[in-house]
Amino acid sequence: MIIKLDMTSNIPIYVRLRNEIVMGIGRGDLKKGEGLPTVRQMAEDIGVNNMTVNKAYSILKNEGYIEIDRRHGAKINPSLDTTREFKEKLESELELIIAESGLKGIEYKEFMRMCEEIYKNMNGLNKVWNEGKI
């Protein structure tokens, strides 16, 4: 997977990197067990500081998307998270997105159609859930 980050965005680079990796897993571009580049290699590849990549990897590990082994590096390992904390975080983020959508004139049916379409395009999600791998 080639990671391209918009360096003009106001979103912190480590957040954008984290989001790109999560999206890669969701789309199926990054598969369970697949290794990620070392912190140094990833930093060099995308032109950022090692600490930026280290922070993104640390967040991904804490969120259960990757596992890190000193001998084998970082590997994709999404884990099922049905905790109350995750659901509350999800609801909060969805509430904001829904509010913004409504304020910008997106109707309910259009919003739901967009959600369905995006969810269908997350091929990694379909494979993981259909095969019972999480």
Side-chain angles (χ1 to χ4, degrees):
M1 175 182 171
I2 297 173
I3 294 183
K4 293 184 180 179
L5 301 177
D6 176 9
M7 294 303 182
T8 63
S9 173
N10 292 332
I11 299 169
I13 296 169
Y14 73 92
V15 173
R16 285 183 274 147
L17 177 57
R18 175 251 178 226
N19 292 349
E20 281 297 311
I21 291 172
V22 171
M23 294 290 289
I25 296 168
R27 286 190 304 262
D29 298 338
L30 295 169
K31 299 180 180 23
K32 187 171 183 169
E34 185 174 338
L36 290 173
T38 64
V39 168
R40 180 175 289 142
Q41 186 62 55
M42 177 70 81
E44 187 178 305
D45 289 350
I46 60 176
V48 299
N49 185 292
N50 288 353
M51 293 303 293
T52 301
V53 176
N54 194 46
K55 189 169 186 176
Y57 278 17
S58 180
I59 291 169
L60 289 162
K61 179 182 181 228
N62 290 337
E63 292 176 336
Y65 294 110
I66 66 173
E67 59 184 24
I68 299 175
D69 180 324
R70 292 202 185 275
R71 295 171 289 148
H72 301 104
K75 291 186 180 178
I76 303 299
N77 188 29
S79 59
L80 184 59
D81 184 355
T82 58
T83 62
R84 189 182 83 238
E85 292 84 13
F86 176 74
K87 288 179 181 177
E88 287 173 357
K89 174 184 178 266
L90 179 62
E91 284 180 8
S92 173
E93 291 175 8
L94 282 171
E95 190 173 26
L96 176 60
I97 290 168
I98 291 167
E100 289 175 342
S101 298
L103 291 169
K104 297 295 182 177
I106 304 294
E107 298 289 331
Y108 172 81
K109 285 184 179 181
E110 177 66 7
F111 181 83
M112 296 307 290
R113 185 201 61 75
M114 291 169 67
C115 289
E116 259 186 57
E117 193 64 31
I118 292 168
Y119 197 92
K120 286 178 187 175
N121 288 327
M122 291 292 155
N123 295 324
L125 295 178
N126 296 329
K127 288 179 185 175
V128 167
W129 290 108
N130 291 336
E131 296 172 7
K133 295 208 175 177
I134 290 185

Tab-separated table of all heavy atoms in Angstrom, residues 37-70:
chain	number	residue	atom	x	y	z
A	37	PRO	N	5.975	-1.043	7.130
A	37	PRO	CA	7.380	-0.638	7.133
A	37	PRO	C	7.826	-0.254	8.547
A	37	PRO	O	6.997	0.132	9.383
A	37	PRO	CB	7.402	0.592	6.217
A	37	PRO	CG	6.166	0.505	5.393
A	37	PRO	CD	5.158	-0.205	6.243
A	38	THR	N	9.111	-0.328	8.790
A	38	THR	CA	9.633	0.123	10.073
A	38	THR	C	9.319	1.607	10.223
A	38	THR	O	9.033	2.291	9.236
A	38	THR	CB	11.160	-0.061	10.162
A	38	THR	OG1	11.764	0.782	9.163
A	38	THR	CG2	11.574	-1.510	9.966
A	39	VAL	N	9.401	2.089	11.442
A	39	VAL	CA	9.150	3.506	11.696
A	39	VAL	C	10.074	4.351	10.831
A	39	VAL	O	9.638	5.293	10.159
A	39	VAL	CB	9.336	3.834	13.198
A	39	VAL	CG1	9.364	5.332	13.423
A	39	VAL	CG2	8.240	3.183	14.024
A	40	ARG	N	11.334	3.997	10.816
A	40	ARG	CA	12.323	4.755	10.043
A	40	ARG	C	11.995	4.733	8.549
A	40	ARG	O	12.042	5.754	7.869
A	40	ARG	CB	13.720	4.199	10.295
A	40	ARG	CG	14.804	4.952	9.524
A	40	ARG	CD	16.188	4.456	9.879
A	40	ARG	NE	16.489	4.899	11.235
A	40	ARG	CZ	17.151	4.186	12.132
A	40	ARG	NH1	17.611	3.006	11.836
A	40	ARG	NH2	17.376	4.658	13.337
A	41	GLN	N	11.648	3.553	8.030
A	41	GLN	CA	11.352	3.420	6.602
A	41	GLN	C	10.092	4.193	6.222
A	41	GLN	O	10.060	4.897	5.213
A	41	GLN	CB	11.210	1.953	6.200
A	41	GLN	CG	11.050	1.742	4.705
A	41	GLN	CD	12.243	2.232	3.916
A	41	GLN	OE1	13.367	1.833	4.184
A	41	GLN	NE2	12.018	3.113	2.953
A	42	MET	N	9.049	4.075	7.056
A	42	MET	CA	7.801	4.790	6.772
A	42	MET	C	8.049	6.297	6.800
A	42	MET	O	7.572	7.021	5.921
A	42	MET	CB	6.722	4.416	7.790
A	42	MET	CG	5.409	5.172	7.608
A	42	MET	SD	4.460	4.709	6.140
A	42	MET	CE	3.658	3.231	6.737
A	43	ALA	N	8.799	6.762	7.786
A	43	ALA	CA	9.099	8.199	7.885
A	43	ALA	C	9.834	8.680	6.638
A	43	ALA	O	9.516	9.731	6.083
A	43	ALA	CB	9.923	8.477	9.147
A	44	GLU	N	10.792	7.890	6.203
A	44	GLU	CA	11.555	8.249	4.999
A	44	GLU	C	10.655	8.244	3.766
A	44	GLU	O	10.715	9.153	2.938
A	44	GLU	CB	12.714	7.260	4.818
A	44	GLU	CG	13.652	7.626	3.706
A	44	GLU	CD	14.812	6.632	3.625
A	44	GLU	OE1	15.493	6.433	4.642
A	44	GLU	OE2	15.000	6.058	2.530
A	45	ASP	N	9.803	7.217	3.650
A	45	ASP	CA	8.921	7.079	2.486
A	45	ASP	C	7.956	8.251	2.335
A	45	ASP	O	7.689	8.699	1.220
A	45	ASP	CB	8.111	5.781	2.561
A	45	ASP	CG	8.962	4.535	2.333
A	45	ASP	OD1	10.131	4.664	1.929
A	45	ASP	OD2	8.431	3.424	2.582
A	46	ILE	N	7.410	8.728	3.455
A	46	ILE	CA	6.420	9.804	3.346
A	46	ILE	C	6.988	11.176	3.688
A	46	ILE	O	6.293	12.174	3.610
A	46	ILE	CB	5.155	9.507	4.194
A	46	ILE	CG1	5.485	9.356	5.679
A	46	ILE	CG2	4.430	8.291	3.667
A	46	ILE	CD1	4.268	9.150	6.563
A	47	GLY	N	8.273	11.211	4.060
A	47	GLY	CA	8.948	12.478	4.276
A	47	GLY	C	8.581	13.191	5.565
A	47	GLY	O	8.358	14.396	5.565
A	48	VAL	N	8.490	12.413	6.654
A	48	VAL	CA	8.168	13.007	7.951
A	48	VAL	C	9.179	12.539	9.002
A	48	VAL	O	10.012	11.668	8.753
A	48	VAL	CB	6.731	12.652	8.414
A	48	VAL	CG1	5.704	13.181	7.429
A	48	VAL	CG2	6.555	11.165	8.627
A	49	ASN	N	9.061	13.092	10.195
A	49	ASN	CA	9.917	12.746	11.315
A	49	ASN	C	9.571	11.352	11.848
A	49	ASN	O	8.404	10.956	11.862
A	49	ASN	CB	9.705	13.806	12.408
A	49	ASN	CG	10.621	13.641	13.573
A	49	ASN	OD1	10.514	12.679	14.326
A	49	ASN	ND2	11.520	14.602	13.742
A	50	ASN	N	10.585	10.632	12.326
A	50	ASN	CA	10.369	9.300	12.916
A	50	ASN	C	9.347	9.336	14.046
A	50	ASN	O	8.544	8.411	14.204
A	50	ASN	CB	11.672	8.721	13.462
A	50	ASN	CG	12.637	8.290	12.391
A	50	ASN	OD1	12.308	8.300	11.203
A	50	ASN	ND2	13.827	7.916	12.790
A	51	MET	N	9.383	10.389	14.864
A	51	MET	CA	8.471	10.483	16.002
A	51	MET	C	7.011	10.577	15.551
A	51	MET	O	6.112	10.101	16.240
A	51	MET	CB	8.831	11.679	16.883
A	51	MET	CG	10.176	11.538	17.586
A	51	MET	SD	10.279	10.040	18.607
A	51	MET	CE	9.082	10.420	19.862
A	52	THR	N	6.775	11.165	14.391
A	52	THR	CA	5.421	11.265	13.845
A	52	THR	C	4.884	9.876	13.536
A	52	THR	O	3.752	9.540	13.903
A	52	THR	CB	5.427	12.141	12.573
A	52	THR	OG1	5.916	13.434	12.920
A	52	THR	CG2	4.048	12.250	11.957
A	53	VAL	N	5.692	9.061	12.886
A	53	VAL	CA	5.285	7.688	12.550
A	53	VAL	C	5.148	6.869	13.827
A	53	VAL	O	4.187	6.109	13.984
A	53	VAL	CB	6.283	7.030	11.577
A	53	VAL	CG1	5.916	5.576	11.312
A	53	VAL	CG2	6.348	7.818	10.278
A	54	ASN	N	6.075	7.041	14.746
A	54	ASN	CA	6.033	6.311	16.006
A	54	ASN	C	4.725	6.607	16.745
A	54	ASN	O	4.098	5.702	17.304
A	54	ASN	CB	7.241	6.678	16.868
A	54	ASN	CG	7.437	5.726	18.003
A	54	ASN	OD1	7.380	4.522	17.840
A	54	ASN	ND2	7.660	6.280	19.183
A	55	LYS	N	4.302	7.853	16.755
A	55	LYS	CA	3.060	8.240	17.419
A	55	LYS	C	1.852	7.592	16.739
A	55	LYS	O	0.952	7.085	17.403
A	55	LYS	CB	2.920	9.761	17.433
A	55	LYS	CG	1.779	10.255	18.286
A	55	LYS	CD	1.866	11.758	18.481
A	55	LYS	CE	0.797	12.233	19.453
A	55	LYS	NZ	0.901	13.651	19.742
A	56	ALA	N	1.839	7.594	15.415
A	56	ALA	CA	0.738	6.970	14.669
A	56	ALA	C	0.684	5.468	14.948
A	56	ALA	O	-0.391	4.921	15.211
A	56	ALA	CB	0.891	7.226	13.172
A	57	TYR	N	1.837	4.803	14.910
A	57	TYR	CA	1.891	3.363	15.183
A	57	TYR	C	1.434	3.059	16.609
A	57	TYR	O	0.727	2.081	16.854
A	57	TYR	CB	3.300	2.826	14.965
A	57	TYR	CG	3.669	2.519	13.524
A	57	TYR	CD1	2.951	3.019	12.446
A	57	TYR	CD2	4.769	1.723	13.239
A	57	TYR	CE1	3.316	2.733	11.142
A	57	TYR	CE2	5.148	1.431	11.930
A	57	TYR	CZ	4.415	1.933	10.885
A	57	TYR	OH	4.778	1.640	9.591
A	58	SER	N	1.817	3.894	17.540
A	58	SER	CA	1.431	3.695	18.934
A	58	SER	C	-0.088	3.795	19.091
A	58	SER	O	-0.706	2.980	19.787
A	58	SER	CB	2.124	4.737	19.807
A	58	SER	OG	1.773	4.570	21.152
A	59	ILE	N	-0.685	4.770	18.436
A	59	ILE	CA	-2.141	4.925	18.485
A	59	ILE	C	-2.815	3.710	17.850
A	59	ILE	O	-3.773	3.159	18.405
A	59	ILE	CB	-2.576	6.232	17.794
A	59	ILE	CG1	-2.117	7.429	18.624
A	59	ILE	CG2	-4.085	6.265	17.563
A	59	ILE	CD1	-2.245	8.764	17.917
A	60	LEU	N	-2.325	3.287	16.702
A	60	LEU	CA	-2.892	2.117	16.015
A	60	LEU	C	-2.805	0.871	16.887
A	60	LEU	O	-3.733	0.063	16.930
A	60	LEU	CB	-2.184	1.888	14.683
A	60	LEU	CG	-2.492	2.912	13.593
A	60	LEU	CD1	-1.443	2.860	12.498
A	60	LEU	CD2	-3.883	2.679	13.019
A	61	LYS	N	-1.706	0.726	17.594
A	61	LYS	CA	-1.544	-0.421	18.503
A	61	LYS	C	-2.548	-0.335	19.644
A	61	LYS	O	-3.226	-1.311	19.957
A	61	LYS	CB	-0.125	-0.470	19.049
A	61	LYS	CG	0.094	-1.626	20.003
A	61	LYS	CD	1.493	-1.623	20.572
A	61	LYS	CE	1.636	-2.826	21.483
A	61	LYS	NZ	2.199	-2.510	22.754
A	62	ASN	N	-2.660	0.843	20.249
A	62	ASN	CA	-3.588	1.019	21.365
A	62	ASN	C	-5.040	0.825	20.953
A	62	ASN	O	-5.862	0.392	21.752
A	62	ASN	CB	-3.409	2.401	22.003
A	62	ASN	CG	-2.101	2.521	22.738
A	62	ASN	OD1	-1.499	1.536	23.161
A	62	ASN	ND2	-1.620	3.743	22.888
A	63	GLU	N	-5.346	1.149	19.710
A	63	GLU	CA	-6.711	0.984	19.206
A	63	GLU	C	-6.984	-0.433	18.695
A	63	GLU	O	-8.111	-0.752	18.322
A	63	GLU	CB	-6.977	1.991	18.082
A	63	GLU	CG	-7.020	3.421	18.573
A	63	GLU	CD	-7.191	4.428	17.461
A	63	GLU	OE1	-6.840	4.119	16.296
A	63	GLU	OE2	-7.664	5.534	17.746
A	64	GLY	N	-5.959	-1.277	18.657
A	64	GLY	CA	-6.152	-2.666	18.252
A	64	GLY	C	-6.095	-2.929	16.767
A	64	GLY	O	-6.572	-3.963	16.296
A	65	TYR	N	-5.493	-2.030	15.987
A	65	TYR	CA	-5.390	-2.249	14.541
A	65	TYR	C	-4.097	-2.947	14.145
A	65	TYR	O	-4.040	-3.601	13.103
A	65	TYR	CB	-5.497	-0.923	13.780
A	65	TYR	CG	-6.851	-0.287	13.914
A	65	TYR	CD1	-7.028	0.877	14.657
A	65	TYR	CD2	-7.971	-0.855	13.318
A	65	TYR	CE1	-8.279	1.461	14.795
A	65	TYR	CE2	-9.223	-0.285	13.458
A	65	TYR	CZ	-9.370	0.865	14.197
A	65	TYR	OH	-10.607	1.428	14.333
A	66	ILE	N	-3.068	-2.761	14.937
A	66	ILE	CA	-1.789	-3.417	14.640
A	66	ILE	C	-1.220	-4.004	15.922
A	66	ILE	O	-1.638	-3.651	17.031
A	66	ILE	CB	-0.752	-2.439	14.015
A	66	ILE	CG1	-0.330	-1.362	15.018
A	66	ILE	CG2	-1.281	-1.841	12.725
A	66	ILE	CD1	0.816	-0.473	14.535
A	67	GLU	N	-0.280	-4.907	15.740
A	67	GLU	CA	0.497	-5.400	16.877
A	67	GLU	C	1.957	-5.113	16.562
A	67	GLU	O	2.363	-5.084	15.397
A	67	GLU	CB	0.251	-6.881	17.119
A	67	GLU	CG	0.576	-7.786	15.963
A	67	GLU	CD	0.212	-9.242	16.220
A	67	GLU	OE1	-0.661	-9.510	17.049
A	67	GLU	OE2	0.808	-10.100	15.553
A	68	ILE	N	2.713	-4.858	17.591
A	68	ILE	CA	4.127	-4.521	17.395
A	68	ILE	C	4.975	-5.492	18.189
A	68	ILE	O	4.770	-5.690	19.380
A	68	ILE	CB	4.411	-3.066	17.833
A	68	ILE	CG1	3.583	-2.087	16.994
A	68	ILE	CG2	5.906	-2.756	17.701
A	68	ILE	CD1	3.692	-0.639	17.423
A	69	ASP	N	5.900	-6.114	17.489
A	69	ASP	CA	6.845	-7.052	18.084
A	69	ASP	C	8.236	-6.537	17.729
A	69	ASP	O	8.523	-6.284	16.564
A	69	ASP	CB	6.600	-8.437	17.484
A	69	ASP	CG	7.535	-9.505	18.019
A	69	ASP	OD1	8.716	-9.200	18.282
A	69	ASP	OD2	7.078	-10.653	18.162
A	70	ARG	N	9.073	-6.385	18.714
A	70	ARG	CA	10.414	-5.829	18.467
A	70	ARG	C	11.202	-6.638	17.438
A	70	ARG	O	12.003	-6.091	16.699
A	70	ARG	CB	11.206	-5.743	19.771
A	70	ARG	CG	10.627	-4.722	20.720
A	70	ARG	CD	11.694	-4.289	21.717
A	70	ARG	NE	11.164	-3.393	22.713
A	70	ARG	CZ	11.041	-2.094	22.555
A	70	ARG	NH1	11.393	-1.536	21.422
A	70	ARG	NH2	10.555	-1.343	23.515
